[in-house]
Amino acid sequence: MSDQQPETKAIRNQTERTDQREHSTPLFLTSSFVFDSAEHARALFAREVDGNVYSRYSNPNIDEFVTKMCDMEEAEAGVATASGMSSIFSTLAGLLEQGDHVLACRSLFGSSHQILSGILPKWGIDFSYGSIDDTESWESLIQDNTRVLFLETPSNPGLDLIDLEWAGKLADAHNLILIVDNCFATPYLQQPMKYGADLVLHSATKFIDGQGRGLGGIAVGKERYIDEISFFCRHSGPALSPFNAWMFSKSLETLPMRMDRHCDNALALAEELQEHVNVEWVKYPYLPSHPQYELAKKQMKKGGGVVSFNIKGGYEAAKNFLDKLNTISLSANLGDSRSIATHPASTTHSKLTEEERLAVNITPGMVRIAVGLEAVEDIIADVNQALA
Ligand code: PLP
């Protein structure tokens, strides 16, 4: 198994068959597990033997999902959680203590910004933001108490990139734990561990599920950090449901095929939008006009499934566009088989101030399309009629 490609492992790596000889992993919907004897219970709790005790600690479906994600990210260990945000929060809360400092990229998902600016400061954990336009200044933002370098690449919704090789070297030189939110790329397009990341986080709610059915998250990476995060999760309880783990594990079997189609459709839409008279700018990592196109080609296999663009005429024009869409759904999710359009300034990033939004290029006319798996002609036709 160890020499096989990650795609093969994501399909073949399954929980051991039960005596029913099932081909597809069954769902283990059970809160707890039985002990063979009182002595067996004692030994399990003392961790003298391996085995399942209680689904807040482990469950075969959750273990299978974690194993596959570790295979795909080439990580030593992992811990699954109930949502992407709980993986981010549990990672930071599990690793940091009072007096620590986090250096993060400014282009972050809205709720990650809320954790750094509204929640961790209550426990005396401070943060600074580095701008992607000025990475030379990041070194000067590192303090004696900085422990974590936290990045999202590509970022939501601005699709800015961070050079992972550069970040790996910076973290290494200053003894920082490099944490990368890899939600937009998925392990199929980008593997941050290869560039020196210590931990990789995902919202499994997005492309990993791929059909907009359930919430989940995961942190994978170096065992010594995962052990600390697991301790936090075991006792604070943001456990992933076995049902969602079972679903995500099945979805991983088709991740490469789905991502290829998401990316091809997104590139075709980005190229079309770029030519449209009512569109001011288009951002997509694999468009040659993206300021970090060369970097995208270096660290991502393809450009991802999300396109952001600015409609001429600001918020009114963006609202008008969204209300005219017929096929593409108006929703706040991404990574679904169905294309979704979102207006970040008034929804996912509405809790940021206008100034904070503009600092990461979230303009009033910006629309994000998470391009789905429909026939690309139908996606383009819907966008064109709504832009007309
Ligand atoms: N990280 C990124 C980059 C996201 O886009 C999101 C959600 O959109 C999250 C984390 C949070 O994930 P969840 O909604 O599963 O908590």
Side-chain angles (χ1 to χ4, degrees):
M1 199 80 162
S2 61
D3 294 339
Q4 291 183 334
Q5 295 300 311
E7 288 96 313
T8 308
K9 291 181 188 169
I11 292 175
R12 305 294 332 187
N13 206 341
Q14 281 185 276
T15 300
E16 206 176 310
R17 250 172 225 147
T18 70
D19 56 11
Q20 297 299 317
R21 298 185 295 113
E22 70 283 350
H23 189 203
S24 175
T25 303
L27 178 55
F28 292 89
L29 264 190
T30 177
S31 315
S32 68
F33 299 82
V34 288
F35 310 122
D36 295 339
S37 64
E39 170 51 23
H40 182 221
R42 187 208 60 77
L44 277 167
F45 271 80
R47 295 195 163 193
E48 289 166 11
V49 292
D50 287 335
N52 295 306
V53 170
Y54 190 61
S55 286
R56 170 152 51 81
Y57 304 156
S58 70
N59 171 288
N61 295 122
I62 298 173
D63 293 348
E64 182 181 293
F65 171 54
V66 170
T67 304
K68 287 184 179 189
M69 284 299 294
C70 289
D71 283 341
M72 296 191 90
E73 289 285 8
E74 299 191 34
E76 289 167 10
V79 54
T81 59
S83 67
M85 287 327 298
S86 58
S87 76
I88 295 174
F89 179 70
S90 304
T91 297
L92 295 173
L95 293 174
L96 297 173
E97 26 188 271
Q98 191 178 13
D100 285 344
H101 172 259
V102 176
L103 174 58
C105 63
R106 191 182 300 280
S107 327
L108 277 189
F109 178 56
S111 292
S112 302
H113 168 71
Q114 300 299 340
I115 288 181
L116 290 176
S117 63
I119 299 178
L120 293 181
K122 288 189 198 169
W123 297 308
I125 298 166
D126 202 4
F127 75 103
S128 305
Y129 279 143
S131 157
I132 59 130
D133 305 325
D134 180 22
T135 44
E136 288 93 70
S137 69
W138 286 39
E139 202 140 22
S140 67
L141 298 171
I142 298 172
Q143 310 175 3
D144 291 345
N145 57 345
T146 307
R147 287 206 56 221
V148 160
L149 180 57
F150 183 60
L151 311 176
E152 187 179 304
T153 181
S155 65
N156 179 6
L159 302 172
D160 294 321
L161 309 186
I162 303 267
D163 186 335
L164 288 169
E165 189 180 353
W166 165 82
K169 286 183 182 149
L170 183 70
D172 199 37
H174 295 272
N175 206 17
L176 308 178
I177 306 170
L178 175 57
I179 304 176
V180 179
D181 182 336
N182 201 26
C183 168
F184 266 44
T186 78
Y188 176 63
L189 300 181
Q190 172 175 280
Q191 291 171 303
M193 303 283 303
K194 286 192 175 155
Y195 298 96
D198 296 295
L199 292 163
V200 178
L201 312 185
H202 283 280
S203 163
T205 317
K206 314 298 179 203
F207 295 101
I208 289 173
D209 173 35
Q211 294 179 54
R213 297 166 298 188
L215 295 184
I218 188 162
V220 299
K222 294 190 177 150
E223 196 160 10
R224 64 179 186 278
Y225 299 125
I226 293 294
D227 283 350
E228 287 184 62
I229 302 163
S230 294
F231 175 81
F232 180 86
C233 290
R234 279 169 75 89
H235 302 294
S236 62
L240 177 62
S241 101
F243 182 86
N244 286 10
W246 174 82
M247 200 166 65
F248 298 150
S249 199
K250 297 273 168 231
S251 283
L252 282 179
E253 297 180 12
T254 56
L255 182 73
M257 289 73 87
R258 289 188 286 107
M259 286 317 290
D260 279 337
R261 171 97 170 191
H262 279 296
C263 294
D264 295 349
N265 282 359
L267 178 60
L269 176 65
E271 284 169 347
E272 179 81 14
L273 283 168
Q274 171 165 261
E275 302 303 324
H276 204 287
V277 290
N278 293 340
V279 172
E280 202 166 307
W281 50 256
V282 184
K283 208 82 175 284
Y284 182 69
Y286 259 51
L287 267 190
S289 60
H290 190 291
Q292 295 161 302
Y293 174 61
E294 291 305 325
L295 176 61
K297 288 210 298 188
K298 177 182 148 200
Q299 65 190 25
M300 296 174 70
K301 196 182 221 158
K302 289 189 174 191
V306 181
V307 180
S308 292
F309 58 103
N310 196 57
I311 301 182
K312 287 180 189 164
Y315 185 34
E316 284 310 313
K319 265 204 315 202
N320 195 22
F321 168 78
L322 293 170
D323 289 341
K324 279 193 180 156
L325 290 169
N326 294 323
T327 304
I328 299 175
S329 320
L330 211 52
S331 183
N333 198 15
L334 60 100
D336 196 313
S337 50
R338 284 155 292 197
S339 296
I340 292 175
T342 310
H343 182 251
S346 64
T347 59
T348 52
H349 290 69
S350 58
K351 302 291 178 297
L352 273 65
T353 63
E354 175 84 15
E355 200 186 356
E356 285 169 339
R357 278 196 294 272
L358 291 177
V360 289
N361 217 17
I362 303 177
T363 50
M366 181 204 246
V367 170
R368 180 189 79 189
I369 297 193
V371 185
L373 306 179
E374 303 95 338
V376 72
E377 308 87 285
D378 294 328
I379 301 170
I380 290 176
D382 197 25
V383 168
N384 278 336
Q385 66 76 27
L387 273 176

